[in-house]
Structures are given as structure tokens and as C-alpha cells.
Amino acid sequence: MRVLFATSEVTPLIKTGGLADVSAAMPAALHGMGVDVRILLPGYPQVLKALPHLQAATEIPIQPNFPAARLLAGSLPNGVSLLVIECAELYKRGGGAYQDEHGLDWPDNALRFGLLSKIAALLSCADSPLDWKPDIVHCNDWQTGLTPAYMHFSDGAAPCVMTVHNLAFQGVFPPQMVAKLGLPAECFQPDGVEFYDNLSFMKAGLYYADHITTVSPSYANEIQTDALGFGLQGLLAYRREVLTGILNGIDTTEWNPATDPNLVQSYDITDISGKSANKCALQKHMGLHIDPDLPLFGVVSRFTPQKGVDLILEIAPQLIALPAQLVLLGTGDIEMQRIALELSHNYSGQISAYVGFDEALSHMIEAGADIFLMPSRFEPCGLSQMYSQRYGTPPVVHATGGLIDTVLDCNAASLKQGVASGFVFHSMDSSSLLATARRAAMTYHDKKSWQALQHNCMVKNFDWNQSAAAYHDIYTHLMRR
Ligand code: ADP
Ligand code: GLC
């Protein structure tokens, strides 16, 4: 089975969030199952710099309105094959994958990800320039949303799967882009790529894909509702027969407290005592008072309304009055960044924030914090709460999406049954978050319960095996059709 996995970010080359981690770990799991999977990725400078030995694979025949491009071939550190699109005009620039240095979306994102979508489609069709032809094309989020549309209007295309990682980002562009991106005028209608008079990459993917998946069973239901469908709930409900929620796994090698090189002391479920050295190291690193007994709350998050970081900032003074400490790592919304740094300054020693993207620090927080905070308003899957459980750091989460599917609230009954794995609140407001954080802090001081809870967290299996098998089943089904 040959699978082309098209994505706009992949760990450790370029990452803004969970999509990058999934784009490395899921293909690796499929590879382990014997699937010949190749990742297709834009050649951002970060990618070309990290992989200086990529080999030229093929020139891409000129696509009308797109600059010239060629494919380079190589592999990820985890051994999965990689195809990189080299196109200096669209990808060779400073900044990040989607935005410039000032956090503004690149004005030519429609072309940048139109080209990614176009090449993914091209490689699966009769006139592909490559010898290798996929049996399945697997697209991820809006950046590859046009692929199913291009494939629909091409000869000999393979079946395709579209995975929604986050419906909040849709890639919506003015209608003039339909012609510029080489899409036939006939697809610009409600039964097609049109979305409130604009072109929507995400809608294109959802409309034309042979199968749609999203990253947790709960989110698969939620996106069919007005509350979380972001305007696409009608289409998703209409296509529910081919919509499957498959929970993400995590890379259990990369995220393993027994071997993590970012930790000052390793630990595992048989001996968790090494966690306290990591707490001390984190307190030191972040300029907090060294105190082994105060519960230390940790946050690693994009700073956006999605993640409920605003609620954390709002309750921060009350949180540390529990008493407790708070450490935050994140980047995004300018105002949230400012407040986090201000809190850090005003409550020095008790609250500490680092604004930026720091992979090593994210691991240190998962290991060194006692309790992880993730009060997302919505959460398609969420990886951080799985990482935290694996590191014996029970999470406090809002009951939504993948958080419901991965965290079981701690109470007398669930503790007794040995299934409690965190703290869940239902009403998305600051008082519920604070009350639940307080409940977590109280449990933290009850050492016997806390150890039982940590044990339940660490014993859970979040690896990719089961979920990769579920994707494999979908591929097999599509190939038989
Ligand atoms: P999302 O993809 O919505 O951001 P996930 O929980 O699925 O949420 O994945 C977030 C990933 O991004 C995790 O690997 C987390 O550690 C990482 N991350 C988020 N913000 C930062 C940051 N500022 N520095 C380092 N890693 C971060
Ligand atoms: C998105 C979602 C997150 C999910 C990740 C990987 O960024 O916001 O919930 O875990 O994709 O699928």
C-alpha cells in the first residue's frame, strides 16, 4: 500500500502545533505496519536547512499561474520518506510556515498552499512526473484542502482522505482565486468550493474527499453542530456516513520520561521519584521560588481564545493564592503575551512566563509541573494533555472534543476503580476553572490519592498502534471500492 501524506508542517522540521507532531508520528506508525508512506511538505528554509542532503527527485511540469517548482527526496529522522517541494518564490523567506515575522499571514498563502495541494493531486494522477504512484492521498487541514478538488477534476486519481485537525482555520480567499488556482469555474458553487461568496480550501476538501476523518470521536460529533461546525456543520452532517473520528496517538519515543534528554532526571511508572528533581530544575530555570511542596501548575499552549489561556491569566492571582505556582510557555495573541509577562513581573517567584516557542522547555514543563492546565473552549484532539498524563502530570481540562476522550475526571469512584486521570470541568468560565484547579491542588496534598492518580495517568497507552490501524482500515476500504 502506497500512501502520499500531504501536510504543511512536520516535527522536527517545522512546527506550530499538534499537526506537526501527528504528521511525523502517524506516518511512522503506518510505515511500521508495512505501508510505503511518503510525506509531501513545502520546502520552507527551516526544512532545507535541517536536511541539506535532499536529492533532486523530479521537475514539476509548469502549472499555469504557479511558479516553477521541483521535488526533492529524503527522509525524516524517524526514517519516513519525505518529498519536499522546492519553490523559492513561494517558500524561501523569513518568518514561519503561515505568517511573517510580525505574525501576519503571508498575502500569497492561497498560492503557497494551492501549490502544495496541486502537487499532491498531480502525484496521484495519470500524468504524474514521478514513477511512484500512491494508492491513497491523505490530506491534512485547509492547507491541503484543494487536493481533493483538483483530483476530482483529473484523470486516474487515487482515492483521497481528508483529515480535519482544526475546523477553525479554513483557508478562505476571494473568489478571483478560483481561476488563478486553476480550478474549473463550475466548482464555485455551494455544492463545491464556494463558502459565503468566497473560496474555502477546507470546504473543498470536505466536499470532494472520498473519506473525512477528524482527530477524536467527540470532535467528529461536535463539528456537525451549530456550536462548533464553523459554518460547515451542514456539509459535515450531510457527509456523516463517510466521517470518522479517530483519536490521535502520541510519539511514545519522543515523549518518554524514562529517556527524554530534556529532563535532569529520568523516571518511569515503577519509580516516579525522579520527577521532583525536574520540578526543582523547572522552578530554578523559570526563576520561581524553589519549593517542593507547593503544587506547580504548568501551561504549554498557543495563546489563542481556543485554548482558554485568557481564563488562566484571569484566575492567575487567585490560583497562586491557593497557594500554588504557575509556569506558562506560549506564543500568539499579543495581548495575552503582554498579560502573561506582566503577571510574571508582578508575582515574581510565583508566576513565570516564557513567550516564544521552545521545544525543550515544553518537555521540561510536562515533566516538572505537578498539574497541567488545558481549559480549551474547543479541542479537536489535543496532544499536550496526553503528554502530561504520560509524564505523571494530571491535567485540568474543559469537557470538550478530544479532552473528553482522553481524560477521566478524578472523584472517589473513579479513583477507586483506578481510572481517574485528571480533572474535568463543564462550564467554560473562570470560576469553574478555578474551582477545578483548587480541587486538583487539594488532591495533590493528599499524597496517597495523588500517587494513585499519577499511576493511572502513566499506565495509559496513548501510542499510535490502534489509531494507525483504523486509518489503515479506511485506506483498505477505499482501495477496494
Ligand atoms: P494545537 O495543535 O491545537 O496547538 P496540541 O495539544 O495538539 O494543540 O499540540 C500542541 C503542540 O505544540 C504540543 O506538542 C505542544 O508541546 C506544542 N507547543 C505549543 N506551544 C508551544 C510553545 N510555545 N513552545 C513549544 N511547544 C509548544
Ligand atoms: C490541531 C488541534 C489539536 C490537535 C492537533 C493535531 O492543531 O487544535 O486539538 O491535537 O491539530 O491533530
Side-chain angles (χ1 to χ4, degrees), residues 274-330:
K275 190 165 166 47
S276 49
N278 288 292
K279 177 173 179 177
C280 177
L282 180 63
Q283 286 172 324
K284 212 165 164 184
H285 183 81
M286 296 298 289
L288 294 169
H289 300 309
I290 309 284
D291 187 330
D293 299 322
L294 275 186
L296 171 54
F297 286 87
V299 178
V300 179
S301 182
R302 289 186 288 112
F303 281 4
T304 67
Q306 175 194 342
K307 301 290 179 179
V309 176
D310 48 323
L311 294 191
I312 299 175
L313 299 174
E314 190 185 326
I315 65 158
Q318 291 142 289
L319 192 70
I320 56 169
L322 284 176
Q325 294 179 335
L326 173 64
V327 53
L328 302 120
L329 164 63

Side-chain angles (χ1 to χ4, degrees), residues 89-101:
E89 198 174 321
L90 294 182
Y91 304 131
K92 189 179 174 188
R93 51 182 82 169
Y98 317 119
Q99 297 175 332
D100 65 17
E101 295 88 340

Side-chain angles (χ1 to χ4, degrees), residues 176-441:
Q176 301 82 295
M177 289 314 294
V178 172
K180 285 204 179 128
L181 290 165
L183 289 163
E186 65 185 274
C187 70
F188 193 65
Q189 52 157 316
D191 283 338
V193 305
E194 189 259 359
F195 186 63
Y196 295 99
D197 298 329
N198 283 314
L199 158 67
S200 163
F201 275 48
M202 179 65 97
K203 184 177 172 193
L206 300 180
Y207 186 81
Y208 289 107
D210 297 293
H211 200 99
I212 302 167
T213 72
T214 189
V215 289
S216 70
S218 289
Y219 194 60
N221 291 327
E222 291 170 351
I223 55 178
Q224 297 178 51
T225 67
D226 292 352
L228 289 177
F230 288 95
L232 291 167
Q233 59 273 25
L235 173 58
L236 286 159
Y238 176 72
R239 301 213 66 198
R240 64 183 174 277
E241 298 298 325
V242 294
L243 166 63
T244 314
I246 301 175
L247 196 67
N248 283 333
I250 62 171
D251 183 332
T252 50
T253 308
E254 195 65 31
W255 294 92
N256 182 357
T259 54
D260 191 330
N262 303 294
L263 272 48
V264 291
Q265 196 170 325
S266 57
Y267 59 94
D268 62 25
I269 189 164
T270 61
D271 180 9
I272 194 177
S273 62
K275 190 165 166 47
S276 49
N278 288 292
K279 177 173 179 177
C280 177
L282 180 63
Q283 286 172 324
K284 212 165 164 184
H285 183 81
M286 296 298 289
L288 294 169
H289 300 309
I290 309 284
D291 187 330
D293 299 322
L294 275 186
L296 171 54
F297 286 87
V299 178
V300 179
S301 182
R302 289 186 288 112
F303 281 4
T304 67
Q306 175 194 342
K307 301 290 179 179
V309 176
D310 48 323
L311 294 191
I312 299 175
L313 299 174
E314 190 185 326
I315 65 158
Q318 291 142 289
L319 192 70
I320 56 169
L322 284 176
Q325 294 179 335
L326 173 64
V327 53
L328 302 120
L329 164 63
T331 162
D333 183 274
I334 304 289
E335 182 60 5
M336 290 186 195
Q337 294 184 170
R338 189 190 63 74
I339 298 173
L341 292 175
E342 191 176 84
L343 285 165
S344 201
H345 177 78
N346 292 348
Y347 299 94
S348 134
Q350 297 169 282
I351 300 178
S352 178
Y354 179 81
V355 168
F357 201 92
D358 188 330
E359 188 72 32
L361 183 55
S362 73
H363 287 244
M364 287 166 65
I365 293 177
E366 295 286 10
D370 296 303
I371 302 162
F372 193 81
L373 288 179
M374 197 159 171
S376 308
R377 289 194 164 75
F378 67 93
E379 194 60 76
C381 178
L383 302 176
S384 298
Q385 83 284 4
M386 293 195 261
Y387 299 151
S388 82
Q389 289 173 75
R390 189 158 161 80
Y391 281 64
T393 310
V396 169
V397 303
H398 176 224
T400 184
L403 301 177
I404 301 174
D405 298 341
T406 54
V407 182
L408 211 91
D409 187 51
C410 177
N411 53 46
S414 62
L415 257 184
K416 193 161 169 231
Q417 288 163 24
V419 291
S421 69
F423 301 86
V424 182
F425 66 98
H426 292 264
S427 170
M428 187 63 200
D429 53 59
S430 53
S431 54
S432 301
L433 171 59
L434 183 61
T436 309
R438 180 178 292 119
R439 192 153 64 82

